[in-house]
Amino acid sequence: MNLFYKNLTIWLIIGLTAILVLNLFKGQPETVNVLTYSDFVDKVETGVVPSFTLQNNIATWRNSNGERFRAVIPENPDSLQPFIEAGAKIEIIPTQEPHWFFRIFLSWFPILLLVGIWYFFMRKGGSGQGGGGKAMAFGKSKAQLIDAQKSHVRFKDVAGIDEAKEELVEIVDFLKDPTKFTEAGARIPTGVLLYGEPGTGKTLLAKAIAGEAGVAFFSISGSNFVEMYVGIGASRVRDLFAEGKKKAPCIIFIDEIDAVGRHRSSGAAGGNDEREQTLNQLLVEMDGFEVNDQVIIVAATNRLDILDPALLRPGRFDRQVMVPLPDVRGREHILKVHAEKIKTEPDINWQQVAKSTPGFSGAELANMINEAALMVARRGGRVSMEDLDAAKDKVMMGAERRSMIITLEEKKITAYHEVGHALVAWMLPGADPVHKVTIVPRGKALGLTMQMPETEKHSHSYTYLFNNLCILLGGRIAEEIIFDEITTGSGNDIERVSDLARKMVCEWGMSKNIGPIVFKTAEQPGMANPLVSEDAIQSINAEIRDLVETAHDTARKILTDNMDIMEAMTQELLEKETISGRDIQAIIDAHKK
Ligand code: ADP
Ligand code: ZN
């Protein structure tokens, strides 16, 4: 609450300052008509202006309508003569200086303002000494406190990642009854690092630990530590840990720890001081933990490889738990956990749904169930297999955007483009089967070709990857063949082709001329990698180009050899807007006869 008022004060000050500044610029008086000296003399002599005031060589008066007039009087003693002769009444007002206090204030105001702002941020950032910083909310960690009672998540809510769960049961036991561990002289890890792809349930797991153990749960994202102002991150870390110790036993969850925990730069590229300072503070705080503090830090990342090794040392995040993408059985469990919350038809075959969603993360599965429930909510009734199928497409490809206006020409180009992808995929043995092709815009894409791997793949063969290059290029080649023109629609495909080809050559040792040697890219984009010679770069580039060209030729041959099928598929796609693998099979069967 306190914090709220402090923030309010800051906003009030900012608001008042803004009003003041605005007023300085405003405050223009009513419009004034300006006259030349000679006109003015004329007016006085003819009696139009019987009286006026004079200040700083400026004569002002009002006419009978109340309009204001002004004229500049030359600065010589004779200039007033004509007026005196004409018998005008002149009221001379002494030159008025602004009040000294106001003058000083005006000249110092900008400086005072700057000093104020500087002071304000320095206090927040507080580099440790003095420990001020408490006055306002800047240096406070933005950790969100969820009281133990509020974390309803339990281990049973986390499905499909049983091994990860097993590794964490111990932590729950420790938080529940630390004496058992301390008496046995066992050291419980104070830091647990959960790593795995986004949406695999890392946050959920951390919440489940807190929920199971019945302790408080703080969560903060690593990116919250990294702010523009030097010192803020470090002070936030300090506050977070201080707060955690006060609320012990508790779990402190740091999401996206890679935002702070990135490998400290090796000096070459002028490091990021603020981030390093924050990271150092984190290390210091973790070292300062005692077992009986009963605070467990759980951090999550999807980039274990870029973390600073210092973070992983004993006493810090020395327990590392991988949270993988779920396999078929895991997916089935996750689907069922989430389906409990919605109304479903009794005949749903969850095993089959799980089979048709390879590569889906827990979050995507949860999302899919939710989408299905939303569809049914609009219509009424229960979720069926068809609803789940539609929800799957939506999650995989983004929502349909039927309202988007697309010209017929664009539609035709998109149709050929997608058929290009699909036909190449269809004809290449070993490529993932084509599941669906659509020219209904979804998300950012004008059209999409969806392939669905038959089984989970954990590694890929050269052939599989080369096929993917061909498939990615297929869209662009179809456009080339039909329209003799290339559109920007292939931009994303080309990006993926380059990326994949580069990885094949530089990371997976898949080129004959270069062989099984890994070339790491430079640490900072745009910087040369000192370990790779100019010659090597040239041959790498040549290899990449060669690979892409071979894939291009392969794809082009498939398409030119099957022009009639390509035409038939495109016509059907233009007509139906979405065609399935079964439709494609039918077209191809018809042409074989
Ligand atoms: P991460 O932190 O790994 O990115 P989250 O834990 O935030 O992923 O997952 C987001 C949501 O996805 C969860 O709130 C939950 O609904 C669902 N989810 C993810 N993984 C699982 C899982 N293993 N079991 C059940 N639900 C899951
Ligand atoms: Zn494409």
Side-chain angles (χ1 to χ4, degrees):
M1 266 309 90
N2 237 344
L3 225 128
F4 171 76
Y5 286 115
K6 279 162 189 161
N7 274 333
L8 194 72
T9 322
I10 295 170
W11 282 114
L12 269 178
I13 294 174
I14 293 175
L16 285 176
T17 315
I19 291 171
L20 218 142
V21 170
L22 279 180
N23 269 333
L24 280 181
F25 289 107
K26 218 178 66 182
Q28 284 285 354
E30 62 207 291
T31 44
V32 181
N33 305 286
V34 180
L35 254 64
T36 59
Y37 174 66
S38 52
D39 277 350
F40 180 49
V41 172
D42 221 43
K43 284 215 153 63
V44 174
E45 281 173 349
T46 52
V48 180
V49 181
S51 66
F52 60 90
T53 55
L54 187 68
Q55 183 180 24
N56 296 347
N57 287 344
I58 294 173
T60 47
W61 73 97
R62 282 177 193 275
N63 68 7
S64 47
N65 296 333
E67 287 169 285
R68 265 162 69 94
F69 287 86
R70 197 165 82 182
V72 179
I73 313 293
E75 211 168 334
N76 69 56
D78 295 338
S79 60
L80 287 178
Q81 208 53 40
F83 309 125
I84 296 164
E85 273 164 20
K89 240 171 76 193
I90 309 173
E91 189 190 346
I92 299 187
I93 301 174
T95 310
Q96 201 181 45
E97 297 279 327
H99 193 271
W100 63 269
F101 180 77
F102 187 66
R103 266 197 354 253
I104 291 179
F105 178 73
L106 263 193
S107 55
W108 281 85
F109 178 74
I111 296 166
L112 282 176
L113 193 71
L114 282 179
V115 170
I117 291 173
W118 174 79
Y119 179 70
F120 175 73
F121 284 118
M122 282 327 278
R123 272 187 59 161
K124 301 325 117 226
S127 46
Q129 319 92 328
K134 301 288 180 268
M136 295 180 207
F138 258 87
K140 282 277 180 198
S141 64
K142 284 194 202 147
Q144 193 189 344
L145 175 63
I146 302 171
D147 284 331
Q149 300 87 295
K150 284 189 209 144
S151 177
H152 293 304
V153 184
R154 296 290 182 273
F155 274 148
K156 69 167 171 43
D157 299 316
V158 188
I161 38 177
D162 296 339
E163 282 154 40
K165 266 199 295 197
E166 267 162 34
E167 290 206 56
L168 299 169
V169 171
E170 199 177 84
I171 309 260
V172 174
D173 288 344
F174 166 75
L175 285 170
K176 273 187 182 160
D177 182 13
T179 48
K180 205 168 75 187
F181 287 80
T182 42
E183 274 167 17
R187 199 181 61 83
I188 202 81
T190 44
V192 179
L193 184 69
L194 304 175
Y195 66 96
E197 303 209 6
T200 44
K202 298 181 290 293
T203 311
L204 197 66
L205 263 178
K207 280 188 188 158
I209 302 173
E212 288 283 339
V215 302
F217 179 78
F218 288 89
S219 88
I220 189 166
S221 170
S223 53
N224 284 352
F225 288 128
V226 190
E227 295 269 341
M228 288 185 282
Y229 310 105
V230 176
I232 304 233
S235 110
R236 280 199 179 146
V237 170
R238 225 175 6 253
D239 283 333
L240 175 66
F241 280 73
E243 198 74 10
K245 279 181 192 164
K246 258 189 260 164
K247 292 270 162 37
C250 71
I251 299 277
I252 296 179
F253 178 65
I254 307 177
D255 204 358
E256 297 172 44
I257 192 156
D258 40 293
V260 253
R262 213 170 257 274
H263 203 310
R264 277 168 290 189
S265 58
S266 36
N272 178 339
D273 283 347
E274 161 63 355
R275 193 167 50 70
E276 279 177 20
Q277 209 176 323
T278 310
L279 175 56
N280 286 336
Q281 189 66 37
L282 186 63
L283 298 175
V284 167
E285 294 288 344
M286 289 199 74
D287 289 343
F289 261 135
E290 306 286 334
V291 175
N292 33 21
D293 277 337
Q294 285 200 66
V295 179
I296 306 270
I297 322 291
V298 181
T301 180
N302 45 5
R303 297 293 312 272
L304 185 64
D305 54 318
I306 60 167
L307 287 190
D308 197 289
L311 268 175
L312 309 179
R313 248 170 244 153
R316 294 167 183 165
F317 292 105
D318 47 1
R319 166 89 45 112
Q320 289 138 31
V321 179
M322 173 169 164
V323 186
L325 281 174
D327 58 10
V328 184
R329 289 199 30 213
R331 288 199 299 274
E332 193 181 334
H333 284 155
I334 296 174
L335 284 166
K336 283 180 178 164
V337 163
H338 287 278
E340 265 172 24
K341 297 168 212 153
I342 63 166
K343 284 193 194 132
T344 52
E345 298 278 3
D347 66 338
I348 289 191
N349 184 344
W350 290 110
Q351 198 180 351
Q352 194 186 325
V353 181
K355 268 192 189 153
S356 71
T357 47
F360 270 48
S361 70
E364 281 166 329
L365 293 170
N367 201 353
M368 179 179 145
I369 297 280
N370 188 47
E371 286 296 342
L374 284 176
M375 285 176 200
V376 172
R378 271 176 239 140
R379 179 192 72 203
R382 289 166 174 276
V383 169
S384 65
M385 279 299 262
E386 287 77 57
D387 296 324
L388 288 172
D389 211 47
K392 179 179 74 185
D393 285 355
K394 193 164 172 188
V395 170
M396 269 184 95
M397 318 193 285
E400 291 188 352
R401 286 173 56 200
R402 286 193 181 270
S403 60
M404 194 166 154
I405 298 165
I406 297 164
T407 61
L408 192 66
E409 181 66 14
E410 250 178 334
K411 226 170 157 173
K412 256 176 84 179
I413 297 175
T414 310
Y416 276 106
H417 179 103
E418 295 308 327
V419 167
H421 287 308
L423 190 54
V424 173
W426 195 275
M427 295 295 173
L428 283 169
D432 292 332
V434 178
H435 172 70
K436 214 169 255 186
V437 184
T438 177
I439 52 168
V440 177
R442 281 184 184 258
K444 276 190 197 152
L446 286 179
L448 271 169
T449 299
M450 241 170 88
Q451 292 168 266
M452 191 74 89
E454 277 169 323
T455 52
E456 239 110 314
K457 292 201 172 66
H458 300 291
S459 68
H460 299 299
S461 64
Y462 171 84
T463 313
Y464 180 82
L465 296 172
F466 180 77
N467 285 351
N468 271 351
L469 289 180
C470 302
I471 296 166
L472 283 170
L473 288 164
R476 177 190 157 102
I477 295 168
E479 288 184 44
E480 262 170 39
I481 295 174
I482 304 293
F483 303 100
D484 198 15
E485 177 81 276
I486 295 163
T487 65
T488 53
S490 316
N492 182 256
D493 296 337
I494 302 303
E495 202 178 313
R496 285 166 63 194
V497 166
S498 325
D499 190 50
L500 180 56
R502 191 193 54 76
K503 281 193 177 138
M504 288 172 75
V505 172
C506 298
E507 285 180 28
W508 302 321
M510 286 180 173
S511 95
K512 281 185 208 80
N513 288 335
I514 291 180
I517 295 169
V518 173
F519 291 96
K520 286 255 169 69
T521 37
E523 288 209 339
Q524 302 276 317
M527 291 245 311
N529 184 340
L531 298 178
V532 184
S533 68
E534 208 39 55
D535 278 356
I537 291 173
Q538 287 204 345
S539 43
I540 288 171
N541 283 338
E543 280 301 288
I544 293 175
R545 193 164 311 126
D546 198 51
L547 191 59
V548 173
E549 268 165 21
T550 320
H552 186 275
D553 295 347
T554 311
R556 193 176 173 103
K557 180 153 185 351
I558 291 174
L559 293 181
T560 44
D561 285 355
N562 294 287
M563 286 293 277
D564 45 347
I565 296 177
M566 179 156 89
E567 284 297 339
M569 274 170 73
T570 309
Q571 287 322 313
E572 182 137 340
L573 184 57
L574 279 168
E575 202 176 297
K576 290 189 183 167
E577 297 200 330
T578 302
I579 57 175
S580 67
R582 224 173 295 139
D583 297 327
I584 299 175
Q585 187 66 59
I587 294 169
I588 289 175
D589 287 347
H591 274 262
K592 271 191 188 142
K593 273 175 205 154

